[in-house]
């Protein structure tokens, strides 16, 4: 009885320490006792195990079948032996034989222990796998437990049993951590190892920046604002493209925060890394213009067949568009997922292309296609046009006042297609601001000074970001400047009008 009381006490401690359900733990204990009985009596042994935690008792009963001739001593007993206990036993009856804990030898107890430990570990691995397999991209916090050959071993705050590491290649090498330091990182993937699932965390991936913005920006948590694309060179610069599902919410302003408070919190966690925040666009040409900020792009041409963008900038904007060691154009290309080729206006003219840099001036003659049919509008898919015409919308004026929810009510219009339609309408009804590129910028006074120096050196002056090096930023107040085009009406552009441009 004393042994069973000790086992029940161990069960309670195991339940608290491993956070395992008590019913599940009872099953583990029964499995362990069956393993001990199999070790002592044989693999075919049959038994019943009942656990009473209130009385602190474990009852074990062997079940043996009464037979004339015994062929399996582990599960059978002879009629003579059975009648020695009770004269009424008949062949085929089942005899119950109580077993005391004292009968278990050391080997049997060790087998029970190993079985229980194995089952507990299997349960932990399954729980870790179920908990984290759907949380890739989430921000996790913990502390540095140890450092092994450049790899950081992390003990998570809310799941200490999980094995979590930050490999050397997933670290920001401008940061240095010591044992016991608190740390935050994003879950990049869950790996299967012989010891069970292992969580691979990262502070170098663009997912880390997205997770930090999700933590700081309530609009992202509420799914009003979404980070549609991101590109990062760890320790130096990051570009993100944001999109708002609510027309009344400015996505760039929401990420910047009052006086730059939200973006500054992210910058502090990244150790002063520059961050450019630009609006996302479904139109690759407009998106490429925005992604090349802070440079001002004069004209953009696209080739969908090769996914190539040709961007033309003024001579004084070329070094700004390229960036230091080509960083700005490289990140813009990664952000848009299009190959971007940069040309100065002089280079473009020397190529002898028949495509002008600037659009022709408007004439006094009436413009044809003021209210074009939907099929004539650049970027409209034939399937979408068919759905809209089926609903009675045949021209631009018919859909110009519709909202995103109105499109979603139509059968066959997916949320992504509704977003693309809203982007097309906005482009056709709003003048672009060439001086600003519709970009919201976050600057410091030091950035403005540094940008002019970097531009003269052929480097990148990222007015759209936070300064990368802390020594370049004196104690100045971060200001958020959001520059947008005027909402002035203009004539819609048709396919024919775009070709003349």
């Amino acid at each position: 009885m004393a042994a069973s009381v000790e086992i029940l006490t161990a069960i309670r401690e195991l339940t608290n320490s491993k956070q395992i359900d008590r019913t599940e733990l009872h099953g583990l204990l029964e499995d362990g006792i069956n393993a001990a009985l199999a070790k002592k009596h044989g693999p075919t042994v049959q038994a019943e195990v009942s656990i009473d935690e209130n009385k602190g008792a474990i009852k074990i009963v062997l079940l043996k079948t009464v037979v004339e001739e015994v062929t399996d001593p582990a599960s059978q007993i002879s009629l003579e032996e059975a009648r020695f206990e009770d004269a009424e036993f008949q062949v085929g009856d089942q005899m119950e034989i109580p077993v005391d804990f004292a009968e278990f030898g050391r080997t049997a107890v060790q087998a029970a222990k190993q079985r229980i430990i194995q089952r507990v570990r299997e349960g932990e691995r399954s729980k870790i796998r179920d908990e984290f397999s759907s949380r890739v991209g989430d921000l996790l916090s913990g502390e540095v437990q140890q450092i092994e050959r450049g790899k950081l071993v992390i003990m998570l705050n809310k799941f200490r049993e999980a094995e979590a590491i930050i490999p050397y290649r997933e670290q920001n090498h401008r940061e240095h951590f010591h044992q016991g330091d608190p740390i935050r990182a994003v879950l990049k993937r869950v790996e299967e190892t012989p010891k069970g699932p292992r969580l691979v965390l990262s502070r170098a991936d663009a997912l880390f920046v997205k997770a930090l913005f999700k933590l700081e920006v309530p609009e992202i948590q509420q799914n009003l604002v979404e980070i549609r694309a991101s590109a990062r060179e760890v320790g130096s610069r990051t570009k993100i493209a944001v999109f708002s599902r609510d027309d009344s919410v400015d996505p760039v302003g929401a990420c910047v925060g009052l006086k730059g408070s939200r973006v500054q919190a992210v910058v502090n966690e990244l150790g002063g890394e520059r961050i450019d925040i630009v609006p996302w666009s479904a139109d690759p040409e407009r998106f490429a213009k925005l992604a090349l900020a802070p440079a001002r792009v004069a004209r953009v041409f696209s080739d969908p067949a090769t996914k190539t963008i040709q961007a033309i900038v003024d001579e004084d904007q070329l070094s700004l568009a390229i960036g230091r060691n080509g960083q700005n154009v490289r990140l813009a290309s990664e952000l848009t997922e299009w190959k971007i080729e940069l040309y100065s206006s002089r280079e473009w003219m020397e190529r002898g292309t028949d495509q002008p840099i600037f659009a022709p001036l408007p004439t006094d003659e009436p413009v044809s296609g003021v209210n074009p049919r939907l099929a004539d509008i650049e970027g409209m898919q034939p399937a979408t046009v068919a759905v809209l015409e089926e609903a009675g919308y045949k021209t631009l004026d018919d859909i110009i006042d519709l909202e995103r929810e109105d499109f979603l009510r139509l059968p066959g219009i997916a949320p992504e297609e509704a977003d693309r339609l809203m982007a097309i309408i906005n482009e056709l009804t709003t003048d672009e601001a060439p001086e600003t590129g519709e970009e919201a910028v976050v600057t410091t006074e030091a950035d403005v000074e540094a940008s002019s120096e970097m531009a003269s050196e052929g480097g990148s002056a990222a007015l759209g970001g936070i300064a990368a090096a802390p020594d370049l930023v004196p104690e100045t107040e971060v200001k958020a400047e959001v520059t947008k085009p005027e909402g002035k009406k203009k004539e819609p552009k048709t396919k024919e009008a775009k070709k003349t441009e």
Side-chain angles (χ1 to χ4, degrees), residues 6 42-43 45 67 87 90 119 149 154 161 178 186 188 195 202 254 272-273 275 302 311 314 321 337 340 405 473:
E6 292 175 1
V45 67
V67 295
Q90 301 293 330
R119 289 288 302 277
R149 300 185 298 277
I154 309 299
E161 296 82 7
H178 302 89
V186 68
K188 188 171 183 179
K195 295 182 178 179
S202 175
E273 187 173 311
I275 298 179
S302 64
D314 294 336
E337 297 182 348
I340 298 179
E405 291 76 13
V473 187

PDB file of all heavy atoms in Angstrom, residues 6 42-43 45 67 87 90 119 149 154 161 178 186 188 195 202 254 272-273 275 302 311 314 321 337 340 405 473:
ATOM      1  N   GLU A   6       2.919   6.272  -2.738  1.00  0.00           N
ATOM      2  CA  GLU A   6       4.030   7.030  -3.300  1.00  0.00           C
ATOM      3  C   GLU A   6       3.829   7.264  -4.793  1.00  0.00           C
ATOM      4  O   GLU A   6       4.119   8.343  -5.313  1.00  0.00           O
ATOM      5  CB  GLU A   6       5.342   6.275  -3.058  1.00  0.00           C
ATOM      6  CG  GLU A   6       5.738   6.227  -1.590  1.00  0.00           C
ATOM      7  CD  GLU A   6       6.972   5.364  -1.382  1.00  0.00           C
ATOM      8  OE1 GLU A   6       7.489   4.846  -2.396  1.00  0.00           O
ATOM      9  OE2 GLU A   6       7.405   5.216  -0.229  1.00  0.00           O
ATOM     10  N   GLY A  42       4.885 -12.533 -18.511  1.00  0.00           N
ATOM     11  CA  GLY A  42       4.896 -12.880 -19.928  1.00  0.00           C
ATOM     12  C   GLY A  42       4.057 -11.904 -20.738  1.00  0.00           C
ATOM     13  O   GLY A  42       3.187 -11.204 -20.185  1.00  0.00           O
ATOM     14  N   PRO A  43       4.268 -11.843 -22.040  1.00  0.00           N
ATOM     15  CA  PRO A  43       3.584 -10.836 -22.873  1.00  0.00           C
ATOM     16  C   PRO A  43       2.084 -11.066 -23.033  1.00  0.00           C
ATOM     17  O   PRO A  43       1.357 -10.149 -23.394  1.00  0.00           O
ATOM     18  CB  PRO A  43       4.299 -10.952 -24.228  1.00  0.00           C
ATOM     19  CG  PRO A  43       4.854 -12.342 -24.239  1.00  0.00           C
ATOM     20  CD  PRO A  43       5.208 -12.670 -22.838  1.00  0.00           C
ATOM     21  N   VAL A  45      -0.050 -11.798 -20.653  1.00  0.00           N
ATOM     22  CA  VAL A  45      -0.748 -11.632 -19.383  1.00  0.00           C
ATOM     23  C   VAL A  45      -1.937 -10.685 -19.554  1.00  0.00           C
ATOM     24  O   VAL A  45      -1.889  -9.729 -20.337  1.00  0.00           O
ATOM     25  CB  VAL A  45       0.224 -11.113 -18.306  1.00  0.00           C
ATOM     26  CG1 VAL A  45       0.664  -9.697 -18.634  1.00  0.00           C
ATOM     27  CG2 VAL A  45      -0.423 -11.157 -16.923  1.00  0.00           C
ATOM     28  N   VAL A  67      -8.521 -23.988 -17.361  1.00  0.00           N
ATOM     29  CA  VAL A  67      -8.428 -24.989 -18.436  1.00  0.00           C
ATOM     30  C   VAL A  67      -8.022 -26.338 -17.839  1.00  0.00           C
ATOM     31  O   VAL A  67      -7.545 -26.432 -16.705  1.00  0.00           O
ATOM     32  CB  VAL A  67      -7.397 -24.562 -19.499  1.00  0.00           C
ATOM     33  CG1 VAL A  67      -7.854 -23.299 -20.222  1.00  0.00           C
ATOM     34  CG2 VAL A  67      -6.019 -24.355 -18.876  1.00  0.00           C
ATOM     35  N   ALA A  87     -13.959 -24.530  -4.925  1.00  0.00           N
ATOM     36  CA  ALA A  87     -14.353 -25.831  -5.487  1.00  0.00           C
ATOM     37  C   ALA A  87     -15.390 -25.700  -6.595  1.00  0.00           C
ATOM     38  O   ALA A  87     -15.643 -26.656  -7.330  1.00  0.00           O
ATOM     39  CB  ALA A  87     -14.884 -26.739  -4.378  1.00  0.00           C
ATOM     40  N   GLN A  90     -15.254 -24.101 -12.873  1.00  0.00           N
ATOM     41  CA  GLN A  90     -15.420 -25.016 -13.993  1.00  0.00           C
ATOM     42  C   GLN A  90     -14.491 -24.584 -15.136  1.00  0.00           C
ATOM     43  O   GLN A  90     -14.006 -23.449 -15.183  1.00  0.00           O
ATOM     44  CB  GLN A  90     -16.882 -25.018 -14.475  1.00  0.00           C
ATOM     45  CG  GLN A  90     -17.878 -25.419 -13.421  1.00  0.00           C
ATOM     46  CD  GLN A  90     -17.739 -26.889 -13.005  1.00  0.00           C
ATOM     47  OE1 GLN A  90     -17.333 -27.751 -13.806  1.00  0.00           O
ATOM     48  NE2 GLN A  90     -18.074 -27.202 -11.752  1.00  0.00           N
ATOM     49  N   ARG A 119       5.740   7.409 -22.792  1.00  0.00           N
ATOM     50  CA  ARG A 119       4.409   7.922 -23.126  1.00  0.00           C
ATOM     51  C   ARG A 119       4.293   9.413 -22.823  1.00  0.00           C
ATOM     52  O   ARG A 119       3.643  10.167 -23.569  1.00  0.00           O
ATOM     53  CB  ARG A 119       3.351   7.130 -22.349  1.00  0.00           C
ATOM     54  CG  ARG A 119       3.144   5.694 -22.825  1.00  0.00           C
ATOM     55  CD  ARG A 119       2.415   5.651 -24.170  1.00  0.00           C
ATOM     56  NE  ARG A 119       1.127   6.307 -24.080  1.00  0.00           N
ATOM     57  CZ  ARG A 119       0.017   5.731 -23.629  1.00  0.00           C
ATOM     58  NH1 ARG A 119       0.051   4.449 -23.256  1.00  0.00           N
ATOM     59  NH2 ARG A 119      -1.120   6.393 -23.585  1.00  0.00           N
ATOM     60  N   ARG A 149      28.052  27.239 -30.298  1.00  0.00           N
ATOM     61  CA  ARG A 149      28.660  27.434 -31.615  1.00  0.00           C
ATOM     62  C   ARG A 149      27.869  28.437 -32.456  1.00  0.00           C
ATOM     63  O   ARG A 149      27.579  28.209 -33.626  1.00  0.00           O
ATOM     64  CB  ARG A 149      28.784  26.092 -32.348  1.00  0.00           C
ATOM     65  CG  ARG A 149      29.636  25.077 -31.620  1.00  0.00           C
ATOM     66  CD  ARG A 149      29.823  23.805 -32.446  1.00  0.00           C
ATOM     67  NE  ARG A 149      28.541  23.139 -32.691  1.00  0.00           N
ATOM     68  CZ  ARG A 149      27.959  22.324 -31.834  1.00  0.00           C
ATOM     69  NH1 ARG A 149      28.520  22.073 -30.658  1.00  0.00           N
ATOM     70  NH2 ARG A 149      26.814  21.729 -32.125  1.00  0.00           N
ATOM     71  N   ILE A 154      16.809  28.766 -26.875  1.00  0.00           N
ATOM     72  CA  ILE A 154      15.837  29.638 -26.214  1.00  0.00           C
ATOM     73  C   ILE A 154      14.888  28.807 -25.358  1.00  0.00           C
ATOM     74  O   ILE A 154      14.403  27.759 -25.794  1.00  0.00           O
ATOM     75  CB  ILE A 154      15.028  30.449 -27.252  1.00  0.00           C
ATOM     76  CG1 ILE A 154      15.966  31.147 -28.241  1.00  0.00           C
ATOM     77  CG2 ILE A 154      14.110  31.443 -26.567  1.00  0.00           C
ATOM     78  CD1 ILE A 154      16.918  32.129 -27.611  1.00  0.00           C
ATOM     79  N   GLU A 161       8.790  23.340 -22.213  1.00  0.00           N
ATOM     80  CA  GLU A 161       9.208  22.014 -22.658  1.00  0.00           C
ATOM     81  C   GLU A 161       9.646  22.005 -24.118  1.00  0.00           C
ATOM     82  O   GLU A 161      10.342  21.087 -24.554  1.00  0.00           O
ATOM     83  CB  GLU A 161       8.071  20.996 -22.478  1.00  0.00           C
ATOM     84  CG  GLU A 161       7.654  20.762 -21.032  1.00  0.00           C
ATOM     85  CD  GLU A 161       6.703  21.831 -20.536  1.00  0.00           C
ATOM     86  OE1 GLU A 161       6.280  22.673 -21.372  1.00  0.00           O
ATOM     87  OE2 GLU A 161       6.402  21.851 -19.335  1.00  0.00           O
ATOM     88  N   HIS A 178      23.508  37.438 -24.408  1.00  0.00           N
ATOM     89  CA  HIS A 178      24.213  36.632 -23.425  1.00  0.00           C
ATOM     90  C   HIS A 178      23.220  35.719 -22.722  1.00  0.00           C
ATOM     91  O   HIS A 178      22.001  35.931 -22.794  1.00  0.00           O
ATOM     92  CB  HIS A 178      24.943  37.523 -22.402  1.00  0.00           C
ATOM     93  CG  HIS A 178      25.931  38.456 -23.020  1.00  0.00           C
ATOM     94  ND1 HIS A 178      25.574  39.724 -23.455  1.00  0.00           N
ATOM     95  CD2 HIS A 178      27.258  38.315 -23.304  1.00  0.00           C
ATOM     96  CE1 HIS A 178      26.642  40.334 -23.967  1.00  0.00           C
ATOM     97  NE2 HIS A 178      27.670  39.497 -23.877  1.00  0.00           N
ATOM     98  N   VAL A 186      10.523  35.513 -34.216  1.00  0.00           N
ATOM     99  CA  VAL A 186       9.350  35.012 -34.930  1.00  0.00           C
ATOM    100  C   VAL A 186       9.545  33.527 -35.207  1.00  0.00           C
ATOM    101  O   VAL A 186      10.669  33.066 -35.460  1.00  0.00           O
ATOM    102  CB  VAL A 186       9.135  35.796 -36.246  1.00  0.00           C
ATOM    103  CG1 VAL A 186      10.244  35.510 -37.249  1.00  0.00           C
ATOM    104  CG2 VAL A 186       7.779  35.485 -36.858  1.00  0.00           C
ATOM    105  N   LYS A 188       9.665  30.645 -37.489  1.00  0.00           N
ATOM    106  CA  LYS A 188       9.827  30.515 -38.934  1.00  0.00           C
ATOM    107  C   LYS A 188       9.345  29.158 -39.440  1.00  0.00           C
ATOM    108  O   LYS A 188       8.696  29.074 -40.486  1.00  0.00           O
ATOM    109  CB  LYS A 188      11.298  30.719 -39.306  1.00  0.00           C
ATOM    110  CG  LYS A 188      11.537  30.792 -40.808  1.00  0.00           C
ATOM    111  CD  LYS A 188      12.947  31.203 -41.138  1.00  0.00           C
ATOM    112  CE  LYS A 188      13.126  31.334 -42.652  1.00  0.00           C
ATOM    113  NZ  LYS A 188      14.496  31.770 -42.999  1.00  0.00           N
ATOM    114  N   LYS A 195      14.607  13.589 -31.748  1.00  0.00           N
ATOM    115  CA  LYS A 195      14.180  13.877 -30.376  1.00  0.00           C
ATOM    116  C   LYS A 195      12.800  14.514 -30.311  1.00  0.00           C
ATOM    117  O   LYS A 195      12.314  14.803 -29.218  1.00  0.00           O
ATOM    118  CB  LYS A 195      15.187  14.799 -29.699  1.00  0.00           C
ATOM    119  CG  LYS A 195      16.567  14.168 -29.516  1.00  0.00           C
ATOM    120  CD  LYS A 195      17.499  15.134 -28.787  1.00  0.00           C
ATOM    121  CE  LYS A 195      18.866  14.507 -28.565  1.00  0.00           C
ATOM    122  NZ  LYS A 195      19.794  15.441 -27.871  1.00  0.00           N
ATOM    123  N   SER A 202      13.561  33.114 -35.732  1.00  0.00           N
ATOM    124  CA  SER A 202      14.375  33.999 -36.558  1.00  0.00           C
ATOM    125  C   SER A 202      14.195  35.446 -36.124  1.00  0.00           C
ATOM    126  O   SER A 202      13.089  35.868 -35.762  1.00  0.00           O
ATOM    127  CB  SER A 202      13.988  33.855 -38.039  1.00  0.00           C
ATOM    128  OG  SER A 202      14.701  34.793 -38.834  1.00  0.00           O
ATOM    129  N   ALA A 254      -1.347  54.440 -40.190  1.00  0.00           N
ATOM    130  CA  ALA A 254      -1.586  53.524 -39.070  1.00  0.00           C
ATOM    131  C   ALA A 254      -0.285  52.854 -38.632  1.00  0.00           C
ATOM    132  O   ALA A 254      -0.062  52.641 -37.435  1.00  0.00           O
ATOM    133  CB  ALA A 254      -2.618  52.466 -39.479  1.00  0.00           C
ATOM    134  N   GLY A 272      17.869  49.999 -34.793  1.00  0.00           N
ATOM    135  CA  GLY A 272      18.091  51.157 -35.651  1.00  0.00           C
ATOM    136  C   GLY A 272      17.998  50.875 -37.138  1.00  0.00           C
ATOM    137  O   GLY A 272      18.400  51.706 -37.950  1.00  0.00           O
ATOM    138  N   GLU A 273      17.480  49.745 -37.527  1.00  0.00           N
ATOM    139  CA  GLU A 273      17.357  49.400 -38.955  1.00  0.00           C
ATOM    140  C   GLU A 273      16.370  50.339 -39.651  1.00  0.00           C
ATOM    141  O   GLU A 273      15.320  50.670 -39.107  1.00  0.00           O
ATOM    142  CB  GLU A 273      16.898  47.953 -39.070  1.00  0.00           C
ATOM    143  CG  GLU A 273      16.893  47.394 -40.463  1.00  0.00           C
ATOM    144  CD  GLU A 273      16.591  45.899 -40.462  1.00  0.00           C
ATOM    145  OE1 GLU A 273      17.230  45.158 -39.689  1.00  0.00           O
ATOM    146  OE2 GLU A 273      15.698  45.481 -41.218  1.00  0.00           O
ATOM    147  N   ILE A 275      13.432  51.582 -42.065  1.00  0.00           N
ATOM    148  CA  ILE A 275      12.179  50.966 -42.503  1.00  0.00           C
ATOM    149  C   ILE A 275      11.476  51.921 -43.460  1.00  0.00           C
ATOM    150  O   ILE A 275      11.214  53.076 -43.116  1.00  0.00           O
ATOM    151  CB  ILE A 275      11.248  50.639 -41.315  1.00  0.00           C
ATOM    152  CG1 ILE A 275      11.914  49.640 -40.380  1.00  0.00           C
ATOM    153  CG2 ILE A 275       9.923  50.090 -41.810  1.00  0.00           C
ATOM    154  CD1 ILE A 275      11.070  49.287 -39.175  1.00  0.00           C
ATOM    155  N   SER A 302       6.201  48.418 -68.377  1.00  0.00           N
ATOM    156  CA  SER A 302       6.230  47.037 -67.879  1.00  0.00           C
ATOM    157  C   SER A 302       6.090  46.061 -69.030  1.00  0.00           C
ATOM    158  O   SER A 302       5.473  46.360 -70.052  1.00  0.00           O
ATOM    159  CB  SER A 302       5.098  46.810 -66.868  1.00  0.00           C
ATOM    160  OG  SER A 302       3.833  46.945 -67.477  1.00  0.00           O
ATOM    161  N   ALA A 311      12.175  51.463 -65.357  1.00  0.00           N
ATOM    162  CA  ALA A 311      11.882  52.705 -64.627  1.00  0.00           C
ATOM    163  C   ALA A 311      12.856  53.788 -65.070  1.00  0.00           C
ATOM    164  O   ALA A 311      14.070  53.553 -65.132  1.00  0.00           O
ATOM    165  CB  ALA A 311      11.996  52.474 -63.130  1.00  0.00           C
ATOM    166  N   ASP A 314      15.104  60.991 -63.282  1.00  0.00           N
ATOM    167  CA  ASP A 314      15.962  62.121 -63.646  1.00  0.00           C
ATOM    168  C   ASP A 314      17.393  61.849 -63.201  1.00  0.00           C
ATOM    169  O   ASP A 314      17.652  60.992 -62.347  1.00  0.00           O
ATOM    170  CB  ASP A 314      15.438  63.400 -62.979  1.00  0.00           C
ATOM    171  CG  ASP A 314      14.079  63.799 -63.535  1.00  0.00           C
ATOM    172  OD1 ASP A 314      13.777  63.401 -64.682  1.00  0.00           O
ATOM    173  OD2 ASP A 314      13.320  64.485 -62.812  1.00  0.00           O
ATOM    174  N   ALA A 321      17.780  56.250 -56.500  1.00  0.00           N
ATOM    175  CA  ALA A 321      16.978  55.081 -56.871  1.00  0.00           C
ATOM    176  C   ALA A 321      17.789  53.797 -56.783  1.00  0.00           C
ATOM    177  O   ALA A 321      17.267  52.755 -56.381  1.00  0.00           O
ATOM    178  CB  ALA A 321      16.428  55.260 -58.292  1.00  0.00           C
ATOM    179  N   GLU A 337       8.349  41.712 -56.677  1.00  0.00           N
ATOM    180  CA  GLU A 337       8.514  40.417 -57.346  1.00  0.00           C
ATOM    181  C   GLU A 337       8.597  40.584 -58.860  1.00  0.00           C
ATOM    182  O   GLU A 337       8.237  39.682 -59.612  1.00  0.00           O
ATOM    183  CB  GLU A 337       7.386  39.446 -56.968  1.00  0.00           C
ATOM    184  CG  GLU A 337       7.358  39.106 -55.480  1.00  0.00           C
ATOM    185  CD  GLU A 337       6.268  38.116 -55.134  1.00  0.00           C
ATOM    186  OE1 GLU A 337       5.403  37.861 -55.993  1.00  0.00           O
ATOM    187  OE2 GLU A 337       6.295  37.589 -54.016  1.00  0.00           O
ATOM    188  N   ILE A 340      13.467  44.919 -61.982  1.00  0.00           N
ATOM    189  CA  ILE A 340      13.413  46.361 -62.237  1.00  0.00           C
ATOM    190  C   ILE A 340      14.722  46.794 -62.894  1.00  0.00           C
ATOM    191  O   ILE A 340      15.809  46.558 -62.355  1.00  0.00           O
ATOM    192  CB  ILE A 340      13.171  47.155 -60.936  1.00  0.00           C
ATOM    193  CG1 ILE A 340      11.811  46.771 -60.332  1.00  0.00           C
ATOM    194  CG2 ILE A 340      13.237  48.652 -61.203  1.00  0.00           C
ATOM    195  CD1 ILE A 340      11.490  47.488 -59.043  1.00  0.00           C
ATOM    196  N   GLU A 405     -17.771  46.285 -50.759  1.00  0.00           N
ATOM    197  CA  GLU A 405     -18.830  45.367 -50.330  1.00  0.00           C
ATOM    198  C   GLU A 405     -19.833  45.114 -51.449  1.00  0.00           C
ATOM    199  O   GLU A 405     -20.396  44.011 -51.548  1.00  0.00           O
ATOM    200  CB  GLU A 405     -19.548  45.925 -49.096  1.00  0.00           C
ATOM    201  CG  GLU A 405     -18.697  45.941 -47.826  1.00  0.00           C
ATOM    202  CD  GLU A 405     -17.678  47.051 -47.840  1.00  0.00           C
ATOM    203  OE1 GLU A 405     -17.797  47.962 -48.707  1.00  0.00           O
ATOM    204  OE2 GLU A 405     -16.757  47.005 -46.999  1.00  0.00           O
ATOM    205  N   VAL A 473      21.927  59.537 -36.090  1.00  0.00           N
ATOM    206  CA  VAL A 473      20.673  60.113 -35.605  1.00  0.00           C
ATOM    207  C   VAL A 473      20.894  60.761 -34.260  1.00  0.00           C
ATOM    208  O   VAL A 473      21.008  60.072 -33.247  1.00  0.00           O
ATOM    209  CB  VAL A 473      19.580  59.040 -35.484  1.00  0.00           C
ATOM    210  CG1 VAL A 473      18.259  59.706 -35.137  1.00  0.00           C
ATOM    211  CG2 VAL A 473      19.461  58.291 -36.784  1.00  0.00           C
TER     212      VAL A 473
END
